[in-house]
Amino acid sequence: MSTPFPFTAVVGQEDLRLALLLNAVSPAVGGVLVRGEKGTAKSTAVRALSALLPEVAVVPGCRFSCDPAAPDPSCPDGPHEAGNGGTRPSRMVELPVGASEDRLVGALDIERALAEGVKAFEPGLLADAHRGILYVDEVNLLHDHLVDLLLDAAAMGASYVEREGVSVRHASKFLLVGTMNPEEGELRPQLLDRFGLTVEVAASREPDQRVEVVRRRLAYDDDPAGFAARWADEESAVRQRIVAARELLPSVRLGDGALRQIAATCAAFEVDGMRADIVMARTATALAAWAGRTDVLAEDVRQAALLALPHRRRRNPFDAPGLDEDKLDETLEEFSGEDDEDPDPDGPGGGGGQPPPSDGPEADGGSGAQPEAGDGGEPQPSGAGSGEQSAARASEPFRTKVLSVPGLGDGAAGRRSRARTEHGRTTGARRPRGALTKLHLAATVQAAAPHQRARGRTGRGLVVRRDDLRQATREGREGNLVLFVVDASGSMAARQRMSAVKGAVLSLLLDAYQRRDKVGLVTFRGAAAEVALPPTSSVDAAAARLETLPTGGRTPLAAGLLRAHEVLRVERLRDPARRALVVVVTDGRATGGPEPVALAGRAARLFAADGVASVVVDCESGPVRLGLAGQLAGELDGTAVTLDELRADSIAGLVKDVQRRAA
């Protein structure tokens, strides 16, 4: 086993380390979601925490890590008699993004269950993580149904496996830690709420601290065991402090005054439901225990709010995470001094919001901001002679109608178009290809029944062989890729027109956020085309890119179509199951180079040859209309609509209507 990087050697990241330690003290806090850019020690800190947790007493031979002092009466390996057991180190189990449901919750031996009536159960990762840490890197990329199963087990403290009338339950209590990069997509709000605490992490901009990070990392890579040995005393001290805080936790008093501050804070920030109040109460209690106190102070409540509320107060994906600390302080001050007893804030233990120091034996003695988008007035030139105009603001986003692609897809996880999926309503049965995951019981019995006499059946159970098993085929919903190809040239430079186009794209991004779609943006202007927004589900990144999109210059329509075709080609290699819909926003004009219109037509026919669904939003205006957008739609084998139809909720509904006609 490799030597993990010491937890106390992590430089900075105080909030991250504190949140992890509070969950180590009180797993009832509900886990940690760590959000931040890549390369900020998210995974390093999580993996290092497992080495600090005390050893776990277990029943010898139990695959579900039952506590010998209080064994689980319904353990599949039981019943166990209470008594002495062995010990093992606390585990950290990692859930891969591509894991199957069977790998997560465990699998039943269906053949033995049918033939012998035996609950032959192979435990999954939820059983392995019991009484330890379950770590999910890139949790925002995990399939929704796996996240639901994971969070349900975390909330109930047990995992349930139900397969065709055969039921298994086992205890599954663990410290849940998820990490994610928001640029790669957000979690749905209802899933965010299930994480107890959240922490935003970023790399330090202080040169001295960055130097120390590099120094410690290089020292660890050169000699992991020696580096860990130099931090052994600090690691031991934190380990002992965790044990002491766990023992003190039941004695911590959460007075009425602190409870009123918690309730008032959650009400002031208008968080939904009551989970935030409960998490804040548990976090404040853990903070007091970590500080060695038996009373919860106002500073504990404040720190608990900063950790438990930011991800719960977001009203939509455009809201930046975080809390208004001035408002938080005002609320706490308004409801302060209402407890019967006012513990001495300078008493033993001090404040609860301090993680262990990271300055042990080795203590150390991008691009610029984008200019603000235009304010809706007259465009101002941004470059002499370039014809480029400042960016127009997007119009107010709106709720879109369901946009779907015709036919039956192969099931990229999502909530939009019809697809063959592992989850949904059962539509038939087939022979399994690879491991059996969803048994079609009736079809299996029907396949095995004619052979029972030949197989010498004598008992009550069926004689079932591998060839008899049938996989259930299911129909659910998939996510799609909506790729916008937007003309940002001089002929499209009207600010109101571009504002409406941007608003429509942002509206579909909001819808994609909820339906697990990808949305991309290709723009063309001047002499070339560029991928302004690679296919993504990150609404925050999309909003920033669209707000700064300028207009002006010539109209290289062919270049825009070819770049979009290349984006789709690459995406088919990365994500072959996800079907695409191309929305071209243009007046159809093409300038620059020899025969630009003919060249654009040839580029458009590439989409038709690939069978890509498409629609052209005709932005041509004025009394004389050339109808070039209609010609382009014909080359795409799609449909053209006028700019007048690009209003509040028409673009999404229009695409749906166009696809219905094409089906």
Side-chain angles (χ1 to χ4, degrees), residues 344-367:
D344 180 8
D346 297 322
Q354 296 298 322
S358 62
D359 51 354
E362 299 191 19
D364 62 317
S367 63

Side-chain angles (χ1 to χ4, degrees), residues 413-430:
R415 300 179 175 229
R416 187 174 298 279
S417 303
R418 295 174 55 226
R420 293 175 290 269
T421 63
E422 289 295 321
H423 299 270
R425 63 186 182 90
T426 301
T427 58
R430 60 172 174 79

Side-chain angles (χ1 to χ4, degrees), residues 18-32 49 53-54 132 154 173-176 196-197 241-250 252 278-290:
L18 177 62
L20 292 172
L21 288 168
L22 293 177
N23 274 272
V25 171
S26 175
V29 167
V32 186
L49 179 66
L53 298 182
K173 298 179 181 179
F174 47 83
L175 194 168
L176 175 63
L197 309 180
R241 190 175 174 185
I242 292 173
V243 173
R246 286 184 173 185
E247 294 174 350
L248 182 62
L249 187 64
V252 175
I278 297 170
V279 171
M280 274 191 65
R282 290 171 174 166
T283 305
T285 303
L287 280 161
W290 177 249

Side-chain angles (χ1 to χ4, degrees), residues 6 8 52 227-240 360-361:
T8 52
L52 295 178
F227 182 83
R230 292 195 293 274
W231 289 86
D233 291 342
E234 285 73 14
E235 294 283 285
S236 177
V238 174
R239 190 177 298 110
Q240 293 173 10

Side-chain angles (χ1 to χ4, degrees), residues 334-347:
E334 180 181 354
F335 288 87
S336 66
E338 298 189 17
D339 208 347
D340 295 333
E341 300 180 13
D342 186 14
D344 180 8
D346 297 322

Side-chain angles (χ1 to χ4, degrees), residues 471-624:
Q471 173 84 24
T473 57
R474 298 170 182 261
E475 182 178 309
R477 293 285 170 177
E478 68 175 1
N480 299 117
L481 167 61
V482 182
L483 182 62
F484 279 80
V485 185
V486 179
D487 185 345
S489 66
S491 65
M492 294 281 294
R495 297 180 68 83
Q496 184 176 2
R497 188 181 311 161
M498 285 305 301
S499 178
V501 170
K502 289 183 179 182
V505 177
L506 289 178
S507 300
L508 287 172
L509 278 167
L510 280 167
D511 192 55
Y513 167 78
Q514 298 172 342
R515 300 183 184 278
R516 310 296 286 179
D517 289 319
K518 286 185 177 180
V519 178
L521 175 64
V522 173
T523 64
F524 55 95
R525 52 186 287 273
E530 66 174 349
V531 181
L533 176 68
T536 181
S537 297
S538 175
V539 177
D540 294 338
R545 300 287 177 85
L546 288 168
E547 284 294 335
T548 57
L549 177 65
T551 58
R554 293 189 174 184
T555 312
L557 176 57
L561 294 174
L562 290 173
R563 178 60 63 91
H565 188 267
E566 176 65 15
V567 169
L568 292 184
R569 185 190 69 80
V570 173
E571 278 300 302
R572 276 194 292 268
L573 296 175
R574 292 176 177 171
D575 195 356
R578 192 180 298 270
R579 296 183 293 165
L581 171 66
V582 176
V583 180
V584 185
V585 185
T586 181
D587 56 11
R589 297 181 184 181
T591 59
E595 300 183 346
V597 175
L599 185 61
R602 290 196 293 271
R605 287 193 288 275
L606 295 175
F607 292 88
D610 291 341
V612 177
S614 60
V615 61
V616 177
V617 179
D618 185 358
C619 299
E620 188 175 28
S621 60
V624 178

